[in-house]
């Protein structure tokens, strides 16, 4: 039993160690040009602030949107930016799957003793993407302090779980979108419409969208569990869209289920992959 547990632990931790090693290799390479890295990181940060600035303008002009005030709106936007930025940094490079298929470099990855998903995710790993995580985290922290939240031990403990689960959901969405390219190599733009479009959808209260959109974002592609349902839980607000209240507790379970779906999609795509022959 001890040997089985040791092998299981090693099988889980080994891809993580390889991921960190490959990502660190790219970071060291990019650090050879520190001025360029700093400028690109700052420009990425400015882009993130501009996106959340649009949310600030909307709420500043309207006062309230679907019953949610400025601080609550910034909380939702900050959580969306943080989750998608973390997922973009960890797993965003899988969107280049189509390029690897066309050039035949995926074949090289398949014969290496490293999981191809790890190689894909760390290919050209870009630490400049931290420039999106920091603004999103800062806005989230400020909004949490500004919102009228009745903090309890449960909420304090649940907050990091919600943030990690939201990031896991976004990572799974990235992988599922990338898997389209196993069958349509030029489907990157369609995949981006799911990932980056999903971020834009998640930056505002779901109550502003038609009910069909809300249900699709809850039960089909569960982006509502990235920001909307966690925000309702933290704010102790009833769901104005009329969905059941227990959904606000479902984010961790949705994250596990969607990661399992993403893993199945990845394995399915690999099984049906045919080499370019080049």
């Amino acid at each position: 039993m001890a040997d089985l547990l040791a092998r299981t632990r090693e099988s889980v931790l080994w891809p993580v160690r390889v991921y960190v090693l490959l990502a660190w290799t790219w970071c060291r390479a990019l650090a050879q040009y520190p001025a360029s890295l700093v400028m690109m990181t700052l420009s990425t940060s400015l882009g993130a602030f501009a996106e959340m600035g649009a949310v600030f303008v909307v709420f500043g002009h309207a006062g309230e949107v679907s019953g949610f005030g400025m601080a609550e709106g910034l909380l939702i936007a900050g959580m969306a930016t943080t989750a998608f930025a973390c997922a973009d940094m960890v797993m965003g490079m899988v969107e280049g799957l189509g390029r690897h298929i066309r050039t035949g470099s995926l074949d090289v990855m398949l014969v290496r003793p490293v999981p191809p998903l790890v190689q894909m995710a760390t290919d050209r790993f870009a630490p400049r993407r931290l420039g999106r995580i920091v603004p999103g985290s800062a806005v989230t922290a400020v909004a949490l302090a500004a919102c009228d939240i009745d903090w309890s031990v449960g909420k304090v403990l649940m907050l990091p779980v919600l943030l990690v689960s939201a990031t896991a959901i976004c990572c799974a969405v990235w992988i599922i979108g990338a898997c389209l390219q196993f069958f349509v190599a030029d489907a990157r733009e369609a995949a981006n419409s799911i990932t980056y479009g999903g971020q834009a959808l998640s930056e505002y209260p779901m109550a502003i969208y038609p009910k069909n959109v809300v249900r699709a974002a809850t039960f089909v592609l569960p982006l509502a569990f990235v920001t909307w349902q966690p925000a309702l839980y933290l704010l102790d607000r009833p769901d104005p869209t009329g969905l059941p209240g227990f959904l606000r507790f479902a984010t961790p379970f949705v994250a596990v289920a969607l990661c399992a779906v993403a893993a199945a999609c990845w394995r399915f795509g690999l099984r049906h992959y045919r080499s370019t022959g080049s």
Side-chain angles (χ1 to χ4, degrees):
M1 179 63 70
D3 291 341
L4 178 61
L5 291 175
R7 288 196 298 269
T8 302
R9 183 172 62 251
E10 180 63 22
S11 65
V12 172
L13 294 180
W14 180 68
V16 176
R17 289 200 297 267
V18 174
Y19 182 100
V20 173
L21 178 61
L22 293 175
W24 177 242
T25 301
W26 279 104
C27 291
R28 291 184 62 185
L30 293 172
Q32 301 302 312
Y33 307 93
S36 174
L37 179 59
V38 170
M39 292 179 63
M40 293 178 67
T41 303
L42 289 176
S43 65
T44 303
S45 296
L46 291 176
F49 276 121
E51 291 177 1
M52 288 181 287
V55 177
F56 184 86
V57 171
V58 169
F59 279 88
H61 178 73
E64 286 189 355
V65 175
S66 297
F68 289 79
M70 172 75 75
E72 296 165 335
L74 288 177
L75 173 62
I76 294 173
M79 291 176 65
T81 300
T82 302
F84 277 95
C86 289
D88 190 17
M89 186 170 187
V90 173
M91 202 59 65
M93 294 308 298
V94 298
E95 67 183 12
L97 174 62
R99 173 174 56 83
H100 291 288
I101 292 175
R102 290 192 301 271
T103 61
S105 57
L106 180 58
D107 295 353
V108 179
M109 294 182 179
L110 291 174
V111 299
R112 291 172 178 166
V114 176
L117 182 59
V118 173
Q119 298 179 63
M120 193 80 61
T122 55
D123 182 50
R124 302 183 185 184
F125 186 86
R128 62 178 173 81
R129 295 181 179 182
L130 278 172
R132 291 181 60 83
I133 298 175
V134 174
S137 301
V139 170
T140 301
V142 172
L144 285 171
C147 288
D148 184 18
I149 299 177
D150 183 16
W151 288 106
S152 63
V153 175
K155 286 185 178 180
V156 172
L157 296 176
M158 194 65 176
L159 180 59
V161 175
L162 292 174
L163 294 175
V164 171
S165 299
T167 301
I169 290 172
C170 296
C171 287
V173 169
W174 238 285
I175 295 171
I176 293 171
C179 287
L180 294 173
Q181 299 177 69
F182 277 117
F183 308 98
V184 182
D186 294 324
R188 179 171 180 171
E189 296 304 321
N192 287 347
S193 68
I194 298 174
T195 53
Y196 298 108
Q199 177 179 346
L201 179 77
S202 304
E203 288 179 343
Y204 295 90
M206 285 285 173
I208 69 173
Y209 302 114
K211 289 187 177 181
N212 290 337
V213 173
V214 176
R215 285 175 169 76
T218 303
F219 301 110
V220 181
L221 189 65
L223 295 173
F225 295 94
V226 175
T227 57
W228 176 240
Q229 294 297 341
L232 292 177
Y233 167 74
L234 293 172
L235 298 171
D236 287 322
R237 296 283 297 270
D239 191 339
T241 65
L243 293 176
F246 68 83
L247 290 176
R248 65 188 61 198
F249 304 103
T251 296
F253 305 102
V254 172
V256 172
L258 197 62
C259 285
V261 171
C265 289
W266 180 258
R267 289 194 296 268
F268 181 81
L270 283 180
R271 284 198 301 269
H272 289 78
Y273 169 69
R274 297 294 180 267
S275 172
T276 60
S278 58

